Amino acid sequence: MFSWSNKNGKKKDPELFQTVSDGLRRLYRTKLFPLEDTYRFHDFHSPALEDADFDNKPMVLLVGQYSTGKTTFIRHLMEQDFPGMRIGPEPTTDSFIAVMHGDQEGVIPGNALVVDPKKPFRKLNAFGNAFLNRFMCAQMPNPVLESISIIDTPGILSGEKQRISRGYDFAAVLEWFAERVDRIILLFDAHKLDISDEFSEVIRALKNHEDKMRVVLNKADQIGTQQLMRVYGALMWSLGKIINTPEVVRVYIGSFWAQPLLVPDNRKLFEAEEQDLFRDIQGLPRNAALRKLNDLIKRARLAKVHAYIISSLKKEMPSVFGKDNKKKELIANLGEIYLKIEKEHQISPGDFPNLKKMQEILAGQDFTKFQAMKQKQLEAVEDMLANDIAKLMILVRQEEAAMPSQSVQGGAFEGTMNGPFGHGYGEGAGEGIDELEWVVGRDKPSYDEIFYTLSPVNGKVSGAMAKKEMVKSKLPNTVLGKIWKLADVDKDGFLDDDEFALANHLIKVKLEGHELPAELPEHLVPPSKRCLE
C-alpha cells in the first residue's frame, strides 16, 4: 500500500493506492481528466481513458503488408489456431482481430465488443460501423493469452482505391491501438520490401511510439546469406527514410513459423534473433505498469500543451465582430502561436501536436466555446507530474520486485526453455555439458606444454607468470581478470595445470565470440577440484 497527501491549502484525506493501476486510474480521473475535458482534448487527440485501459493485459499489435506472415506469427507463438484465422498468399485477414484469453473458444463481433466495459475497446465505436463490421475478438483458452493479448490487423495494400474502399480511417485506428498497446511489431517479407503509400502513412501514424516498435524481417530462410544481407540493408534504408529518427530501429531476422528451414545456412542467426524477440515479448507483463505510467506522462504533457494552445486562441478571439476572419487568421498563424507558447512557458518543441493536423481539426471547431486558462486545473496536472508520478514510480518498482518471474509462458515460448535445443546449448561455455569426460581434457596436452615452459613451482604457476601467457590472447584486462577468477577454482592465487588448462579453454571460448559464464559451470570444474565443491 502506498499513501501520500495533497499539499494544497485545504486538508485532504491521504490517497491510498493498492496497485499501480489503481493509482494511475485515480490520478487520471482526479487531475488529468478535468483538464482534458475543459479544453476538449478528446475531440483533438485521443478519447478519454476508461478503467479497462488501466487494468487490461499487455497487448501486442502486429502490423504489415499482406502476406508478410502476421497471422502465421500469432499461430506460431500460441501453437494453436484461433477462431476467425485465415492464412494465404493473398490478402486474407480483412479485419482487426483481438486474440484474447477466454474460458470458451468463440468470436465476439465488433458491435458487441465495444459495449463490453471489461474490454478496453469501448472508444472504438467512434470509428463507426464500417470499422466495427471489420473488428472482432477471438477468445480461447491458451497459456500464452493468460499473460498477453495480440491484435492481428488487415494486410496493408497499395493504391489509393484500396485505401478508400476500407470505409474508415485505417491509419487513425492503428494510431488508437498504438497508444494503448505495449509492443508494436512491424512485419516485412524478405521477398517484397516495397513500402506502399498506405504503409508509409501507417508508419508515420505510429511515429510517436518508436519506443514500442520492433521490426521483424520474416521468411528470411527462403533466401541465401548474400541476398539476405542485401535485403537487410535495403530494409534499413527504407525505414530510415520513413521513420526519420537518429536511432537505428531494432530488426529481428528469421522465419517465424513451425516449418522446416528452406535455406538452413543461417540457422544460428535465426535462433538467436528468435530468442531475443521472445525475451522482449516475455518481459511485457513485468513492464506493463511502467509502460502505462510512461503513456500517462506523455498524455499529460500533450494535454498541458493543448490547454495552452486552446486558451491562447480563446484570448485572441474578438468578443463581438469579425470572429470568422479572426479564426482563419489564427489557424493560418498557428505556427507562430506554437513558438510564442514554447518561449513563454519553456516547453520543448517535441511536446507540441502536429501543426498540419491541428490546423485541420481547428477548422471545424467553434472557437467561441473554447475556455480561457484555468490555472488550478493546470497546477493539478503539474503537481501530478512533479510529485505524484515520482512517488508512484516507487510502487512500480515494488510491484516488479514482488513478481520477478512473471513472464509469458506456453506455446512457442516453452520450445527452447530446457533440454538440448535451448539457445546456445552445447556451445561456448556450454560445450561438453552432457559429456562424461572433462571437455577441457581434449586440448589439455597442448596447454600442458605451455604450462611447463612457465617454470611452475610445486606444480603451480604464479599470477604474474600466468599473466604473461594470457595477455598473448590480446583480450582486455577486464575479460582476462574474469577468466582468472573463474579458473582459480581453489582461490589460492596460483594456477595448477588443470586450472591453467581451464583458463586457456575460457580464453578460447571468448575468442570464438561466446560470452563467459557468471559462475563456473559444474561440467567445467576440473575433476581434481570437484571435491572442493
Side-chain angles (χ1 to χ4, degrees):
M1 187 178 285
F2 205 88
S3 68
W4 63 87
S5 54
N6 195 326
K7 295 182 180 177
N8 291 341
K10 295 178 185 177
K11 285 193 175 181
K12 193 178 177 184
D13 292 334
E15 296 188 55
L16 301 176
F17 296 156
Q18 301 287 349
T19 64
V20 174
S21 293
D22 178 48
L24 291 172
R25 185 190 303 110
R26 288 169 63 180
L27 284 177
Y28 175 71
R29 284 288 161 208
T30 57
K31 296 194 173 182
L32 183 53
F33 179 78
L35 185 78
E36 291 183 356
D37 192 44
T38 299
Y39 298 101
R40 306 173 73 171
F41 178 88
H42 312 126
D43 295 339
F44 287 81
H45 304 288
S46 178
L49 298 177
E50 298 197 326
D51 288 352
D53 291 309
F54 298 102
D55 298 329
N56 67 303
K57 293 171 186 169
M59 292 194 288
V60 178
L61 177 69
L62 295 183
V63 182
Q65 299 186 120
Y66 75 90
S67 193
T68 52
K70 297 186 298 296
T71 306
T72 305
F73 182 87
I74 298 173
R75 172 121 195 14
H76 177 56
L77 287 187
M78 301 195 307
E79 294 184 340
Q80 187 180 350
D81 292 350
F82 59 87
M85 184 183 94
R86 285 175 62 220
I87 295 173
E90 76 284 4
T92 48
T93 303
D94 65 344
S95 302
F96 282 80
I97 304 176
V99 187
M100 307 181 82
H101 188 269
D103 295 331
Q104 299 293 325
E105 190 170 308
V107 171
I108 305 171
N111 282 290
L113 197 55
V114 295
V115 295
D116 185 351
K118 293 181 181 177
K119 297 280 193 298
F121 306 122
R122 281 162 61 97
K123 296 297 181 180
L124 281 168
N125 59 12
F127 293 102
N129 274 332
F131 166 71
L132 296 179
N133 291 334
R134 291 281 179 268
F135 180 45
M136 68 175 80
C137 174
Q139 285 192 319
M140 59 190 300
N142 183 282
V144 172
L145 300 177
E146 288 177 9
S147 305
I148 60 171
S149 300
I150 308 171
I151 313 294
D152 194 8
T153 63
I156 296 168
L157 303 162
S158 307
E160 189 68 23
K161 186 179 177 184
Q162 298 285 5
R163 183 169 19 191
I164 292 168
S165 68
R166 290 193 191 276
Y168 61 91
D169 191 337
F170 182 68
V173 172
L174 281 177
E175 190 173 2
W176 186 95
F177 276 109
E179 286 179 7
R180 289 157 178 79
V181 300
D182 296 71
R183 187 67 73 240
I184 303 165
I185 298 180
L186 288 178
L187 279 100
F188 289 87
D189 186 331
H191 286 90
K192 48 177 191 190
L193 288 183
D194 58 308
I195 298 179
S196 67
D197 295 341
E198 189 177 30
F199 201 7
S200 298
E201 185 186 339
V202 163
I203 295 174
R204 288 191 186 99
L206 305 177
K207 184 164 173 51
N208 294 327
H209 308 283
E210 288 100 339
D211 56 321
K212 300 178 182 179
M213 205 180 290
R214 303 291 183 271
V215 176
V216 169
L217 181 58
N218 202 12
K219 305 185 182 180
D221 69 315
Q222 298 176 16
I223 56 178
T225 305
Q226 189 177 12
Q227 197 177 353
L228 181 59
M229 288 173 65
R230 291 187 180 131
V231 167
Y232 177 79
L235 175 60
M236 297 302 289
W237 181 79
S238 299
L239 287 172
K241 285 175 67 180
I242 297 170
I243 297 178
N244 198 26
T245 57
E247 299 87 7
V248 176
V249 181
R250 175 65 164 102
V251 177
Y252 298 89
I253 305 169
S255 186
F256 294 89
W257 66 340
Q259 299 297 322
L261 301 175
L262 294 180
V263 182
D265 302 359
N266 299 302
R267 182 188 189 104
K268 280 192 176 181
L269 169 67
F270 298 159
E271 286 175 358
E273 293 286 282
E274 184 176 65
Q275 287 301 312
D276 283 354
L277 181 58
F278 280 8
R279 272 195 292 271
D280 186 67
I281 295 172
Q282 283 185 294
L284 293 179
R286 191 161 176 237
N287 299 322
L290 193 58
R291 193 275 303 168
K292 288 171 186 171
L293 184 66
N294 186 52
D295 282 356
L296 191 72
I297 294 168
K298 282 201 286 189
R299 188 181 178 101
R301 289 167 71 97
L302 179 59
K304 228 175 72 177
V305 172
H306 179 77
Y308 283 128
I309 294 168
I310 296 300
S311 59
S312 294
L313 293 173
K314 172 69 175 177
K315 192 176 178 182
E316 295 292 329
M317 284 296 286
S319 54
V320 185
F321 300 111
K323 292 180 181 178
D324 288 343
N325 289 334
K326 189 63 176 178
K327 174 182 171 179
K328 289 175 186 174
E329 183 191 323
L330 288 171
I331 293 173
N333 297 330
L334 189 61
E336 294 173 18
I337 294 171
Y338 275 20
L339 286 171
K340 185 181 174 184
I341 293 169
E342 184 187 325
K343 289 176 183 175
E344 189 177 338
H345 300 286
Q346 304 297 307
I347 295 169
S348 166
D351 285 353
F352 284 82
N354 180 276
L355 181 63
K356 189 178 176 184
K357 187 179 174 185
M358 193 71 176
Q359 287 172 322
E360 287 173 4
I361 300 172
L362 282 170
Q365 295 288 326
D366 183 356
F367 281 28
T368 60
K369 292 183 179 176
F370 287 174
Q371 297 288 331
M373 180 55 68
K374 296 191 176 179
Q375 203 60 38
K376 281 191 176 179
Q377 288 185 349
L378 200 65
E379 285 171 3
V381 174
E382 292 277 12
D383 180 60
M384 181 185 89
L385 291 169
N387 301 309
D388 298 332
I389 293 292
K391 293 169 182 173
L392 204 54
M393 267 302 289
I394 299 169
L395 189 54
V396 169
R397 297 301 178 206
Q398 287 176 356
E399 281 193 6
E400 284 183 355
M403 50 182 186
S405 61
Q406 187 181 20
S407 66
V408 182
Q409 303 293 331
F413 298 102
E414 300 293 322
T416 56
M417 294 292 284
N418 303 299
F421 295 96
H423 179 61
Y425 188 94
E427 300 170 8
E431 185 184 358
I433 192 169
D434 46 13
E435 295 179 18
L436 294 175
E437 298 295 324
W438 187 39
V439 67
V440 182
R442 293 178 196 165
D443 300 314
K444 190 170 184 294
S446 60
Y447 297 145
D448 283 350
E449 286 181 19
I450 301 168
F451 178 77
Y452 288 111
T453 65
L454 300 176
S455 306
V457 177
N458 297 326
K460 296 187 176 187
V461 295
S462 66
M465 294 300 291
K467 179 182 177 181
K468 285 181 183 178
E469 184 61 34
M470 290 171 70
V471 293
K472 291 178 182 177
S473 67
K474 299 182 181 177
L475 288 170
N477 283 351
T478 51
V479 175
L480 292 174
K482 185 173 182 182
I483 289 172
W484 172 273
K485 187 178 177 183
L486 292 169
D488 185 13
V489 180
D490 54 16
K491 309 299 179 196
D492 64 350
F494 294 85
L495 298 183
D496 62 19
D497 60 327
D498 282 348
E499 291 172 324
F500 182 78
L502 174 60
N504 279 277
H505 179 78
L506 292 171
I507 286 171
K508 179 183 157 194
V509 165
K510 189 64 183 174
L511 290 174
E512 288 175 350
H514 301 287
E515 291 302 316
L516 293 171
E519 294 181 2
L520 191 67
E522 285 183 25
H523 72 279
L524 288 184
V525 175
S528 60
K529 307 289 181 185
R530 288 178 186 173
C531 58
L532 301 174
E533 292 289 295

